[in-house]
Amino acid sequence: EDDTPSPFLRLQAKKKQVEQMQKGLEVKEEDFRERMKVITCQWRDLHAKEAQLKTHMEESGKTLKENDKMRMQALKKAIRERENKMQKESELLRAKGKLEALRNKHQKLCNRMQKYSIFNKYLEDVVKISQFEEIREVISRYKTLVRMHKDLLQSQQRHKEMSEQAKVLLDQYMEEKEAEILQYKNELVQLQLRFDQAQSDILSWETRWADIQNMTAKKIQELGTIKLAILNLFQ
């Protein structure tokens, strides 16, 4: 009849409060377990990506070795081409010397022919003392040397263009591979940062889990105290 609640109502209120606290703890534990599942999945994905990155780095190392081998082959080829070019230049110089000698000889013959054109017998004597049987053979030999000189110049120009093109292609290839290596390094740094962040998150969640366990132990202790008090009240 008075306003003071009966012991039974207080007991029911306490029991209801304990049940609500228990449900709250269960909800928090379930949420924590879900979060731990997500972190575990992320951890496995991170390990898988790390293994893939390691494999990719090994493949990149093999590719770099192959690139070094190709570069050495290209360098050897360039050296051979330079040696061939020097040999061609030497041959060209010798051919130029022979050509110049033949030009001088031809000019001398032309001057002599102009000077002594009226002396047919003299021209015949000149052909006799030379290595040619007729004058047109001398002219044909001169044209052949000019054509050889032109072919040598064209061959030298082609070798030069091929060497420059190979150098440009090699530079482009090296730039592309350096860009790929830089990209892989950046990805590795990003993965390392994510790995560090994941470790930090795990430590934070472990701390929170310990706090929840401590709080749960306290609540269980309080619940035991309440049960003991209720038992005493009933007694």
Side-chain angles (χ1 to χ4, degrees):
E1 293 178 358
D2 54 5
D3 295 335
T4 304
S6 64
F8 178 75
L9 294 177
R10 289 197 300 271
L11 178 60
Q12 291 297 323
K14 286 291 184 181
K15 184 183 293 185
K16 185 176 181 181
Q17 184 179 1
V18 170
E19 290 176 355
Q20 291 177 353
M21 291 174 62
Q22 187 67 29
K23 289 181 180 179
L25 287 174
E26 291 176 356
V27 171
K28 289 184 179 179
E29 288 177 357
E30 183 66 24
D31 183 62
F32 178 75
R33 281 194 294 270
E34 292 296 328
R35 289 179 179 270
M36 288 301 295
K37 288 180 181 179
V38 174
I39 292 173
T40 303
C41 292
Q42 292 178 353
W43 182 260
R44 284 198 298 267
D45 293 340
L46 183 61
H47 273 290
K49 290 182 179 179
E50 185 179 2
Q52 292 177 359
L53 181 60
K54 184 178 180 181
T55 302
H56 187 71
M57 290 298 292
E58 292 176 356
E59 293 177 354
S60 298
K62 293 180 181 179
T63 304
L64 288 175
K65 290 181 180 178
E66 293 176 357
N67 293 339
D68 292 336
K69 184 177 179 181
M70 293 177 63
R71 183 173 58 187
M72 291 300 297
Q73 290 177 355
L75 182 60
K76 291 180 180 179
K77 182 178 180 181
I79 292 174
R80 288 195 300 270
E81 290 180 353
R82 185 174 60 184
E83 291 176 352
N84 292 334
K85 181 181 177 181
M86 293 176 63
Q87 184 178 0
K88 292 291 184 181
E89 289 178 351
S90 178
E91 293 176 358
L92 181 61
L93 289 175
R94 289 195 296 270
K96 284 182 178 180
K98 292 180 181 179
L99 181 61
E100 189 65 25
L102 288 175
R103 282 178 177 175
N104 293 332
K105 185 176 181 180
H106 181 262
Q107 186 64 39
K108 290 178 181 179
L109 289 174
C110 289
N111 293 335
R112 287 181 181 180
M113 288 176 65
Q114 290 178 1
K115 186 175 181 180
Y116 303 105
S117 59
I118 60 175
F119 303 103
N120 291 331
K121 189 169 184 313
Y122 178 78
L123 294 176
E124 293 175 357
D125 292 338
V126 170
V127 172
K128 289 179 181 180
I129 63 174
S130 65
Q131 59 180 342
F132 303 100
E133 294 180 358
E134 296 180 358
I135 295 176
R136 63 174 177 269
E137 292 181 358
V138 178
I139 298 174
S140 177
R141 178 62 176 174
Y142 171 76
K143 290 181 179 180
T144 301
L145 290 175
V146 170
R147 188 166 55 253
M148 289 175 59
H149 175 66
K150 183 178 180 181
D151 293 339
L152 287 174
L153 288 176
Q154 291 178 352
S155 177
Q156 180 182 0
Q157 183 64 26
R158 285 195 300 270
H159 282 296
K160 183 179 179 181
E161 292 175 356
M162 291 174 63
S163 177
E164 292 177 353
Q165 185 177 4
K167 184 177 182 301
V168 171
L169 293 175
L170 181 60
D171 293 338
Q172 291 178 352
Y173 184 77
M174 291 299 296
E175 289 178 358
E176 291 176 357
K177 292 303 175 183
E178 288 177 357
E180 290 181 3
I181 291 172
L182 181 60
Q183 182 179 358
Y184 293 146
K185 287 182 178 179
N186 291 332
E187 291 179 357
L188 180 60
V189 170
Q190 293 297 325
L191 289 174
Q192 185 64 39
L193 292 175
R194 291 178 62 184
F195 176 73
D196 295 338
Q197 183 64 37
Q199 285 185 331
S200 177
D201 292 341
I202 289 172
L203 292 175
S204 176
W205 281 109
E206 287 178 350
T207 303
R208 293 183 62 181
W209 174 243
D211 293 338
I212 290 172
Q213 286 181 333
N214 293 330
M215 186 181 297
T216 303
K218 291 180 180 179
K219 294 298 181 180
I220 291 172
Q221 186 178 2
E222 291 178 0
L223 180 60
T225 303
I226 292 170
K227 287 181 178 180
L228 182 59
I230 293 170
L231 180 62
N232 291 331
L233 289 173
F234 275 112
Q235 290 177 354

